[in-house]
Amino acid sequence: MSAIQVKLAQLRANGWTITDLFLVETPLPDGGAMMILPSVPATIFQAPGAAMAFEVHGAILGAYTAQGGPAGTLGYPESDEVGWYDSHSRMSIFQRGVIGWTAAQGTIIHNDKVVHHLGLAAARAYQLLNLATADASATVHREENIAAGVNWCGYALANMMKAGGMDKAHTALFANTQGLLDYGSYYTLDIYGASRPRARVTKMLPSGLDIRDAHSARRSQRRIVLWPEIQRETPLDIAPGDIVLVDHDAGGGPDHIQIVYHWHPAQRVLTTIDGNGGSFVLRSVLERQFGAQLRPNVHFRPAPTTPAAGSAVAPATKQQHLRALDGLDVLWPMPQAGYVSIGCHVLTAAGQVNPPAPTSTAPHSRVFAIIRPSIMDFEHHRYQNI
């Protein structure tokens, strides 16, 4: 029995209704094979020489076919359709990228397999968001061995990235924003975003190859997008699980750490989850926590309709975005700090407020940087001077 026939039997055993009378396994020019299941509709693919075959179906199959299928930029599938970052989104993993699907955005193509690992990190963030606020904080503190009173947004990010499979050699840098700037820029940015000589050169062992050169050779360098590019309103490649650095305190550099939950390019709304946060929580979490005792102005209050000092978007407007774009029923909790929260940013020039100079004390809020890791950060390697 071929790998495609094995997969067909598995699909039937898993409850798939496949009513086609005649199914043909078709060889492909490169040595691979495929079988079309018109009644589903779905297609099973087997890469040349591969021991397993995988199915692609629905909207993801449509997007994959439009990209040229196995002969296109993505190559053959390496997974069946799986959950992405929550129960409402799906993903298929291919040799050279992924195709995701959400009800709000339809299909989303990323030509970088790192997005799969980032999706697992975003799923961990969503899992923490669904815990009672005290339980989420306690979980991160326990698993990351954090002392009481420590700012823990970076430790929460580390916890999420470890769930995505990231090597802990890298997450050790995530405790603060400067460490993340060092990580994302290969030690070429300081806290104010100005170039400086690299503080250290990280090498791969045993080869001794510079880590940036090793990532470049794999065509998967870390990427950091800074606020000037964000505010030019150019198209942005942002995926669930990307790292977000926020500048709240007019220090000229980032002071808070978040992870991407969702990016809505048409509206330029970026939804993020953070530890040690102060934004929204899920109504379902508060209902589980307080039950019939859940009361307005005791456990939550109306989101303010005017922006905070230095911010361009009111919390009430952000609440509307979260409900309309992400389908999340969120509340503005009391007290207003120190838990795993979800919020959003509007990545337009008008939606991001900036000081007149890097040293200004005028309050402002902006997304300072968005960081995409390398696929090699989710593999086990040995390093010198990380």
Side-chain angles (χ1 to χ4, degrees):
M1 184 180 290
S2 72
I4 287 181
Q5 291 169 334
V6 170
K7 174 56 66 176
L8 178 63
Q10 289 175 346
L11 295 178
R12 283 179 164 144
N14 290 336
W16 282 44
T17 302
I18 301 170
T19 60
D20 309 288
L21 296 178
F22 300 101
L23 294 172
V24 179
E25 187 171 324
T26 305
L28 297 176
D30 62 359
M34 63 184 286
M35 178 184 284
I36 299 174
L37 313 179
S39 63
V40 176
T43 302
I44 303 172
F45 296 94
Q46 181 183 5
M52 298 179 65
F54 301 100
E55 60 82 15
V56 186
H57 70 272
I60 290 179
L61 175 61
Y64 179 53
T65 302
Q67 289 288 307
T73 58
L74 295 170
Y76 282 85
E78 292 189 330
S79 80
D80 294 329
E81 190 171 298
V82 296
W84 196 358
Y85 56 91
D86 64 13
S87 60
H88 309 297
S89 57
R90 309 293 292 170
M91 170 188 284
S92 287
I93 306 165
F94 299 88
Q95 290 173 323
R96 294 183 291 275
V98 302
I99 301 178
W101 177 89
T102 74
Q105 292 180 263
T107 53
I108 309 159
I109 298 172
H110 293 280
N111 293 301
D112 191 344
K113 286 175 66 175
V114 72
V115 172
H116 163 58
H117 295 278
L118 295 176
L120 296 176
R124 172 59 173 169
Y126 189 69
Q127 181 185 49
L128 291 170
L129 184 71
N130 277 270
L131 296 178
T133 52
D135 292 344
S137 173
T139 297
V140 174
H141 278 74
R142 180 181 67 255
E143 294 184 0
E144 301 305 315
N145 194 27
I146 311 169
V150 173
N151 287 331
W152 53 280
C153 56
Y155 291 99
L157 175 69
N159 185 272
M160 298 164 190
M161 286 297 177
K162 288 174 185 176
M166 181 173 283
D167 192 319
K168 65 181 180 180
H170 306 300
T171 60
L173 293 171
F174 292 1
N176 56 66
T177 54
Q178 180 59 66
L180 278 161
L181 282 179
D182 287 340
Y183 168 84
S185 70
Y186 298 98
Y187 291 94
T188 61
L189 294 177
D190 69 12
I191 199 69
Y192 299 107
S195 295
R196 62 177 169 86
R198 296 178 70 185
R200 63 183 73 181
V201 177
T202 301
K203 293 185 179 296
M204 311 282 294
L205 296 175
S207 67
L209 189 66
D210 183 296
I211 188 174
R212 183 161 52 177
D213 294 337
H215 290 180
S216 180
R218 285 279 296 275
R219 296 185 179 181
S220 184
Q221 274 197 311
R222 297 169 187 162
R223 187 187 68 206
I224 184 166
V225 179
L226 297 174
W227 64 268
E229 181 177 346
I230 292 169
Q231 294 185 192
R232 282 197 293 269
E233 301 187 20
T234 56
L236 297 171
D237 174 18
I238 303 175
D242 279 344
I243 300 165
V244 179
L245 300 181
V246 183
D247 182 3
H248 282 308
D249 295 339
D255 47 63
H256 190 50
I257 299 164
Q258 302 176 329
I259 192 171
V260 173
Y261 175 72
H262 212 156
W263 166 234
H264 303 277
Q267 299 84 3
R268 294 189 69 84
V269 172
L270 180 67
T271 305
T272 59
I273 296 175
D274 52 7
N276 201 30
S279 195
F280 296 95
V281 297
L282 301 179
R283 180 190 293 271
S284 58
V285 170
L286 293 184
E287 287 177 342
R288 289 199 309 270
Q289 191 168 350
F290 299 109
Q293 298 178 354
L294 179 63
R295 297 191 303 277
N297 298 315
V298 175
H299 302 110
F300 69 95
R301 61 188 176 91
T305 57
T306 57
S311 178
V313 183
T317 301
K318 294 183 177 183
Q319 185 178 43
Q320 292 171 4
H321 288 323
L322 293 170
R323 288 175 170 172
L325 299 178
D326 294 295
L328 299 174
D329 189 0
V330 293
L331 297 174
W332 192 248
M334 300 173 65
Q336 193 61 40
Y339 45 87
V340 175
S341 71
I342 187 165
C344 65
H345 306 276
V346 180
L347 300 189
T348 62
Q352 301 283 292
V353 178
N354 296 285
T359 56
S360 170
T361 58
H364 68 289
S365 180
R366 68 181 178 196
V367 172
F368 186 88
I370 301 171
I371 298 171
R372 172 75 54 82
S374 164
I375 188 64
M376 294 182 71
D377 295 337
F378 295 93
E379 303 167 350
H380 179 67
H381 298 281
R382 292 170 54 224
Y383 302 95
Q384 177 183 352
N385 295 330
I386 200 165

